[in-house]
């Protein structure tokens, strides 16, 4: 490392800029060519070392190249284990199903059938929406403000972000967006508001097949739904025969502490979407869990070529060993407390920024009301060798999402880098705010 602790990786992305579509995004935020990674450490081609507070957007809860999974995976490959199998029965899939039943479902007294859709989160969401419509005969789905459920048309219709919605190019139909918990202020009960809309024949909102909700909005600004709100939402669903879908694609697999994010709230979803870290090793995999009575699919009615990613099943099975006792969850809780304390002390150091703490578990962040500041903070973090991204429609939250397996010393080290980044970006933003907006310089970043 040279240049006063700042990393050097300029001008290395020429080939990507020449050949790869303008749609690329993360390589713009993290402009380096990465070579290898282990646990929470990433190396680029120039030999720069990074600490990972991004964890593959939640796909790497167990870190990069997790040693336990790697061993199982390599052995499976060397034994010519089945790699691709559509949805044929394989030993690897059988072992996963067995483990999922014994380690996840049984101890939680959860009775669900398991569907393997295509291996992405959005595919699990599409499957849930289809099944909700098929089983209720209703077409409308309720989503929430600032929700994120994926990029395919059905999932996009229940996603809040305007920029992403516009990309659809067609009207996004058969869905209505309702205010999430806290959207109308801390005192407003938005479930009561939703119930009004459903009861009022003048509201323009037809009775929905399902409500789809995240317990904590990972992409939409780390807004957290309260326990009471989720309970009331569940009660409303029961009252009107509406199915409750929990999208646990990002918050599941321990991100907020327990295996399922909704466990502490005592709710019982009709369907649950999982992806991102369910494959354990960062390999593509998704699950849609449904109450047995909802399983009215015809054979192949929703299918996909890559439902049988056996390499992911091998790693996913090993990943579930983290959940065999309560130890891992306890560790996550300890690290979450540490993270919360440190983030709150960073916020307290810069009162002029009027920043705000957000999150739950190892999904926390700092919301900055100053436009562009969270992005600046993440840019500064990257220059210091810390990989983290923003969250929120206006990218207003600097989001801390390390692998759940990170050790406390590395977590603290990253938080020191974050504090330095906030200090640097805050100093610069003060200067920028002095620039006259009328001169067209307001909001310009140097
Ligand atoms: C990432 C995400 C999705 C979409 O998953 P993809 O694998 O990108 O399709 C859906 N819902 C939530 C909550 C997510 O975070």
């Amino acid at each position: 490392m040279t240049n006063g602790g700042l990393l050097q990786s300029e001008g290395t992305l020429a080939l990507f800029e020449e050949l790869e579509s303008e749609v690329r995004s993360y390589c713009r935020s993290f402009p380096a060519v990465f070579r290898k990674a282990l646990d929470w450490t990433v190396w680029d081609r120039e030999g720069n070392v990074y600490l990972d507070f991004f964890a593959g957007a939640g796909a790497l809860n167990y870190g990069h190249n997790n040693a336990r999974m790697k061993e199982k995976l390599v052995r499976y490959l060397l034994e010519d284990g089945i790699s691709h199998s559509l949805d044929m029965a394989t030993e690897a899939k059988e072992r996963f199903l067995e483990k999922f039943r014994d380690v996840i479902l049984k101890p939680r007294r959860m009775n669900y059938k398991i569907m393997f859709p295509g291996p992405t989160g959005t595919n699990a969401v599409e499957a849930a929406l289809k099944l909700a419509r098929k089983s209720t005969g209703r077409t409308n789905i309720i989503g929430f403000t600032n929700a994120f459920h994926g990029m395919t048309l059905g999932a996009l219709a229940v996603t809040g972000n305007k920029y992403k919605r516009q990309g659809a190019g067609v009207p996004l139909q058969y869905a209505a967006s309702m205010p999430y918990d806290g959207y109308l202020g801390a005192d407003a009960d938005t479930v009561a508001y939703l119930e009004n809309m459903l009861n009022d024949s003048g509201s323009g909102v037809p009775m929905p097949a399902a409500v789809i909700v995240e317990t904590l909005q990972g992409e939409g600004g780390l807004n957290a739904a309260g326990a009471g709100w989720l309970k009331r939402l569940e009660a409303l669903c029961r009252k009107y025969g509406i199915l409750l879908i929990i999208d646990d694609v990002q918050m599941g697999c321990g991100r907020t502490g327990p295996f399922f994010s909704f466990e502490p709230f005592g709710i019982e979803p009709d369907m649950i979407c999982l992806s991102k870290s369910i494959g354990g090793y960062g390999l593509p995999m998704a699950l849609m869990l449904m109450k047995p009575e909802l399983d009215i699919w015809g054979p192949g009615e929703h299918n996909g070529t890559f439902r049988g990613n056996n390499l992911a099943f091998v790693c996913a099975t090993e990943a579930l060993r983290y959940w065999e006792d309560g130890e891992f969850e306890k560790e996550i809780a300890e690290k979450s407390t540490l993270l919360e304390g440190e983030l709150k002390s960073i916020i307290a150091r810069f009162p002029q920024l009027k920043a705000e703490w957000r999150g739950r578990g190892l999904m926390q962040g700092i919301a900055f009301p100053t436009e562009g500041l969270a992005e600046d903070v993440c840019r500064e973090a990257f220059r210091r060798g810390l990989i983290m991204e923003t969250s929120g429609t206006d990218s207003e939250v600097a989001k801390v999402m390390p692998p759940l397996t990170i050790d406390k010393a590395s977590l603290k080290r990253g938080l020191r880098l974050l504090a330095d980044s906030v200090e640097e970006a805050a100093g610069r933003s003060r200067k920028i705010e002095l620039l006259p907006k009328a001169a067209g310089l307001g909001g310009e970043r140097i």
Side-chain angles (χ1 to χ4, degrees):
M1 245 192 247
T2 51
N3 193 20
L6 299 180
L7 307 185
Q8 300 262 290
S9 47
E10 294 290 312
T12 53
L13 290 170
L15 190 73
F16 301 88
E17 283 156 12
E18 181 194 333
L19 291 175
E20 193 180 349
S21 160
E22 293 304 316
V23 79
R24 64 196 194 279
S25 64
Y26 286 120
C27 61
R28 300 178 197 260
S29 312
F30 310 125
V33 179
F34 298 103
R35 172 170 289 161
K36 63 174 214 166
L38 188 62
D39 298 323
W40 44 87
T41 308
V42 182
W43 288 264
D44 74 14
R45 182 160 67 185
E46 331 276 290
N48 293 311
V49 186
Y50 303 83
L51 180 54
D52 190 354
F53 271 15
F54 172 54
L60 292 165
N61 281 5
Y62 309 96
H64 295 264
N65 293 309
N66 181 290
R68 285 157 56 171
M69 297 173 212
K70 181 166 52 188
E71 200 200 317
K72 290 274 154 51
L73 181 61
V74 167
R75 194 180 308 156
Y76 186 79
L77 286 167
L78 291 175
E79 286 168 359
D80 290 325
I82 291 280
S83 175
H84 176 272
S85 59
L86 292 146
D87 71 352
M88 285 182 260
T90 63
E91 281 185 342
K93 189 187 216 175
E94 184 176 49
R95 278 194 288 265
F96 170 76
L97 285 169
E98 214 172 11
K99 197 81 166 172
F100 195 79
R101 178 193 64 198
D102 295 345
V103 174
I104 302 300
L105 296 179
K106 263 195 180 164
R108 292 168 180 76
R109 294 198 179 78
M110 289 172 72
N111 186 18
Y112 288 85
K113 292 286 286 291
I114 302 166
M115 170 176 181
F116 297 83
T120 62
T122 201
N123 212 303
V125 169
E126 293 292 343
L129 300 183
K130 264 192 197 176
L131 189 60
R133 287 171 172 136
K134 180 174 161 98
S135 66
T136 61
R138 301 174 185 165
T139 52
N140 190 31
I141 308 278
I142 299 290
F144 290 96
T145 48
N146 291 308
F148 181 79
H149 296 294
M151 286 288 134
T152 48
L153 291 182
L156 205 47
V158 282
T159 288
N161 188 296
K162 182 175 173 180
Y163 174 68
K164 307 246 191 264
R165 290 177 66 88
Q166 278 174 345
V170 294
L172 294 168
Q173 294 177 313
Y174 313 116
S177 182
M178 288 287 148
Y180 192 69
D181 193 13
Y183 187 77
L184 300 176
D187 297 330
D189 178 359
T190 63
V191 172
Y193 175 88
L194 170 57
E195 183 161 19
N196 265 346
M197 296 296 273
L198 298 183
N199 275 329
D200 178 6
S201 51
S203 72
V205 178
M207 193 55 75
V211 159
I212 183 165
V213 66
E214 302 154 272
T215 58
L216 172 67
Q217 297 182 318
E219 299 299 309
L222 303 196
N223 311 302
W229 189 84
L230 287 164
K231 288 291 268 183
R232 289 196 300 281
L233 184 63
E234 181 189 44
L236 176 136
C237 287
R238 301 292 169 250
K239 186 170 165 188
Y240 295 95
I242 301 164
L243 298 171
L244 177 62
I245 304 169
I246 297 286
D247 181 349
D248 238 3
V249 167
Q250 189 164 156
M251 295 307 143
C253 305
R255 181 44 63 186
T256 65
F259 184 82
F260 295 107
S261 72
F262 54 83
E263 282 176 54
F265 310 124
I267 58 172
E268 227 184 281
D270 296 293
M271 288 183 257
I272 303 159
C273 302
L274 286 175
S275 185
K276 293 209 164 95
S277 273
I278 189 66
Y281 203 71
L283 293 172
M285 177 171 167
L287 295 182
M288 204 278 279
L289 309 180
M290 74 213 95
K291 289 279 170 131
E293 63 273 20
L294 286 175
D295 189 15
I296 56 165
W297 289 114
E301 195 177 358
H302 184 85
N303 63 15
T305 307
F306 289 107
R307 284 168 299 153
N309 182 357
N310 287 265
L311 305 184
F313 300 157
V314 169
C315 295
T317 306
E318 181 60 29
L320 292 180
R321 289 192 48 213
Y322 278 92
W323 300 95
E324 283 176 343
D325 58 30
E327 201 49 40
F328 191 49
E329 188 173 338
K330 220 173 74 203
E331 276 174 37
I332 299 170
E334 280 172 23
K335 286 181 269 193
S336 305
T337 306
L338 188 157
L339 174 58
E340 182 174 345
E342 297 284 325
L343 289 183
K344 286 182 173 167
S345 90
I346 293 175
I347 291 170
R349 264 179 63 197
F350 304 98
Q352 75 278 15
L353 298 178
K354 298 189 167 46
E356 196 185 289
W357 175 85
R358 300 255 177 100
R360 187 176 279 156
L362 281 179
M363 172 64 93
Q364 298 182 26
I366 305 180
F368 295 99
T370 309
E371 197 190 328
L373 187 52
E375 281 171 303
D376 267 359
V377 167
C378 291
R379 211 171 295 133
E380 284 302 327
F382 188 70
R383 292 177 68 213
R384 287 165 172 73
L386 178 67
I387 301 177
M388 52 187 284
E389 69 162 340
T390 61
S391 168
T393 308
D394 301 314
S395 303
E396 71 278 14
V397 182
K399 166 166 144 179
V400 176
M401 185 169 43
L404 306 178
T405 49
I406 194 169
D407 64 32
K408 285 183 188 162
S410 303
L411 184 58
K412 285 186 191 160
R413 183 160 55 83
L415 289 165
R416 282 195 297 275
L417 294 173
L418 173 59
D420 292 348
S421 308
V422 173
E423 183 168 9
E424 174 70 26
R428 191 154 0 116
S429 105
R430 206 163 43 240
K431 278 173 237 146
I432 285 168
E433 273 168 6
L434 293 175
L435 296 171
K437 274 224 178 338
L441 293 167
E444 282 271 335
R445 310 247 95 75
I446 309 116

